[in-house]
Amino acid sequence: MQEEKHRALIDKYLTDTLTEGEKKDFILLMENPEFKEAVLHEKHIVAALKAKEKAKLKANLKSFSSRIPTTPQQTSNTKRLWMAAASVILIVSIGYFIYMNNQPISNQFINYYEPYPAVTIQRGEGEKISKALQLYSEEKYQEAVDELTSLASPDQQAYYLYLGNCYLQLDETQKAITTFEKLIEISNDSILTQHSQWYLAMAHLKANQSEPLKILLRNIINQNGMYSELAHNLLKEID
Amino acid sequence: MAHLDNDQIILRLKQDDSSCLEDLVVAYKSYCVNGLKKKTKCSDEEAEDLFIDALLELRDKVLSDKLDHLLNAKSYIFGICYNKWLSAQRLKNKTIFTSIDAEGYYQQYLKDDSSLDLEDLEYKMQLLNITNRALGTIGEKCYKLIKYFYIEKRSMEDIANIMGFASADVAKTSKSRCFKKLVEKTKELEKL
């Protein structure tokens, strides 16, 4: 019993989790030279293990980092000023040309976006789920967000789709993007993935983020799935 | 790549999510490496090494509850990089750069821990080698058990779940057995 109690204290000491009260008991025990020697030996072992694990993590991270290119260093101030001046002229010219010939790509949002349809609420479903979907179908998006935030999880992935759509409706596009990206990351269902990719495209469209949008649309087209044709048409409009 | 939210960084590091470190490499490597090279005239290799060590320090701070809030991760990480460079310069007096490895980390732990006196440092450094050899003899399962408990500070319930033990008590007994085996092995190797 005594030995077990000591072991628990030593383990807490080695993992830096002793409470203030336990620290006092431990200091008393450390007055015994044999006990102290044994504990410090164990501490060295744990320190060695920590060092080994940290070095391993560093090696892995370095190997990962070596595959990530460093973008070139920025140029000197003078050069940068000249380049900025040239860029301003170029941007103004291009901007004027674009303004005369194009509208922002987000104007296409209204033509392509349809909220993800609310499912019919099944009898016997949980009260919270029914309430969230009811609010969504009644277009009470802010209230739906409050409910859906606690429902969406890796086990209940579909709710991310509703949650992201709520954010789109509430003009919180960055939150919508994060939500759809999360769903794409965790989804193990190809249909759900296709929906989330399309709605992520809608979020980029609404946010006028043409580069990630184009990449995503090409990806959707290549998959030849349920949104390929829509993606193809949208890409033609904005390219 | 997804925007890295400061609170999410803290949360993911607290969960010891190593993919968070990889995301930080992708997001901030260029900024930190270029910034360090410009500010300190260090080499690519040195800048990258300092950057990786800065990420590991950030992780350590979060795991040890010394940091629970970030306002600007990019500037914070660059700050650690620069401080590391400064202290390396003070220590080495601008001598040749050497990357920190297990031995360096072990030495740091010994220095940072006031309970571990630094007398006979050479002998204590040998313990790193001895522990490494001993760890090689206890088997993969024991190694993981010890790592989960002493390094990752997981609860016995967690460990039992991950490793498929029948209960937290069974995991605790196995952990004690494994650690005892490791300690005895190091003592045995010390005598050789």
Side-chain angles (χ1 to χ4, degrees), chain A residues 71-151:
Chain A
T71 48
Q73 201 158 5
Q74 289 180 344
T75 47
S76 70
N77 283 346
T78 324
K79 259 188 184 173
R80 210 181 295 151
L81 271 176
W82 277 108
M83 282 174 77
S87 304
V88 168
I89 294 166
L90 193 64
I91 288 166
V92 168
S93 318
I94 293 171
Y96 181 72
F97 178 77
I98 290 171
Y99 179 75
M100 295 301 286
N101 293 280
N102 292 295
Q103 295 296 315
I105 59 167
S106 58
N107 278 7
Q108 293 291 339
F109 181 77
I110 199 163
N111 300 329
Y112 282 86
Y113 175 71
E114 270 183 37
Y116 186 68
V119 288
T120 315
I121 299 152
Q122 304 289 319
R123 247 183 295 166
E125 280 189 290
E127 196 184 319
K128 200 167 172 60
I129 293 173
S130 304
K131 191 179 170 193
L133 297 180
Q134 188 69 41
L135 289 167
Y136 181 85
S137 64
E138 289 169 6
E139 300 182 9
K140 293 176 180 166
Y141 295 115
Q142 187 56 61
E143 290 163 72
V145 163
D146 297 339
E147 296 293 324
L148 288 163
T149 309
S150 56
L151 285 173

Side-chain angles (χ1 to χ4, degrees), chain B:
Chain B
M1 82 152 286
H3 167 72
L4 286 178
D5 176 84
N6 291 315
D7 292 339
Q8 279 297 313
I9 292 172
I10 297 284
L11 191 68
R12 290 172 68 195
L13 288 175
K14 263 192 197 304
Q15 292 162 347
D16 211 7
D17 172 359
S18 60
S19 72
C20 179
L21 292 175
E22 292 180 357
D23 286 348
L24 290 170
V25 170
V26 175
Y28 304 136
K29 178 181 165 180
S30 293
Y31 175 80
C32 291
V33 168
N34 286 335
L36 274 172
K37 277 164 60 187
K38 199 175 163 198
K39 205 162 176 167
T40 69
K41 311 280 177 232
C42 65
S43 68
D44 271 316
E45 189 203 352
E46 189 174 6
E48 189 164 343
D49 206 79
L50 287 166
F51 169 63
I52 301 290
D53 268 330
L55 293 183
L56 294 175
E57 185 170 321
L58 174 72
R59 171 182 171 268
D60 286 350
K61 279 173 188 275
V62 173
L63 284 176
S64 60
D65 291 327
K66 285 179 187 153
L67 179 75
D68 60 6
H69 187 66
L70 267 178
L71 281 178
N72 184 337
K74 188 162 84 170
S75 308
Y76 189 84
I77 293 166
F78 183 75
I80 306 180
C81 291
Y82 191 58
N83 280 340
K84 282 196 165 293
W85 182 81
L86 284 174
S87 61
Q89 294 311 299
R90 279 194 292 269
L91 276 175
K92 288 181 274 173
N93 199 18
K94 298 190 180 184
T95 52
I96 302 160
F97 161 74
T98 48
S99 173
I100 302 176
D101 53 10
E103 206 166 290
Y105 290 129
Y106 180 64
Q107 207 162 353
Q108 269 176 11
Y109 288 133
L110 298 186
K111 279 182 187 159
D112 293 347
D113 194 327
S114 54
S115 64
L116 299 172
D117 63 73
L118 283 172
E119 274 176 39
D120 200 2
L121 184 63
E122 201 179 316
Y123 158 72
K124 291 196 171 84
M125 290 306 288
Q126 279 176 18
L127 277 175
L128 174 70
N129 188 23
I130 287 171
T131 306
N132 275 340
R133 280 164 58 204
L135 282 166
T137 66
I138 60 170
E140 182 73 16
K141 201 169 178 180
C142 268
Y143 187 109
K144 276 189 180 164
L145 248 175
I146 292 170
K147 186 178 95 170
Y148 289 153
F149 183 78
Y150 289 104
I151 311 296
E152 297 182 8
K153 299 179 187 179
R154 292 177 189 264
S155 68
M156 280 303 168
E157 286 78 14
D158 243 15
I159 296 175
N161 277 335
I162 300 169
M163 300 192 66
F165 287 109
S167 67
D169 280 342
V170 178
K172 190 176 165 186
T173 313
S174 301
K175 186 274 300 171
S176 298
R177 205 179 300 134
C178 285
F179 194 60
K180 197 173 172 193
K181 198 158 108 182
L182 176 65
V183 172
E184 278 167 6
K185 191 73 197 172
T186 55
K187 284 183 177 161
E188 192 185 307
L189 288 170
E190 264 182 74
K191 285 177 195 155
L192 293 179

Side-chain angles (χ1 to χ4, degrees), chain A residues 183-198:
Chain A
L183 180 54
I184 291 168
E185 187 191 316
I186 62 170
S187 170
N188 44 18
D189 176 311
S190 72
I191 302 295
L192 207 53
T193 305
Q194 288 181 52
H195 285 311
S196 46
Q197 284 175 329
W198 175 250

Side-chain angles (χ1 to χ4, degrees), chain A residues 11 43 53-54 62 65 68, chain B residues 49 60 113 143 150 175:
Chain A
D11 279 348
K43 185 126 196 186
E53 282 299 314
K54 193 165 175 182
K62 274 186 101 167
S65 175
I68 308 294
Chain B
D49 206 79
D60 286 350
D113 194 327
Y143 187 109
Y150 289 104
K175 186 274 300 171

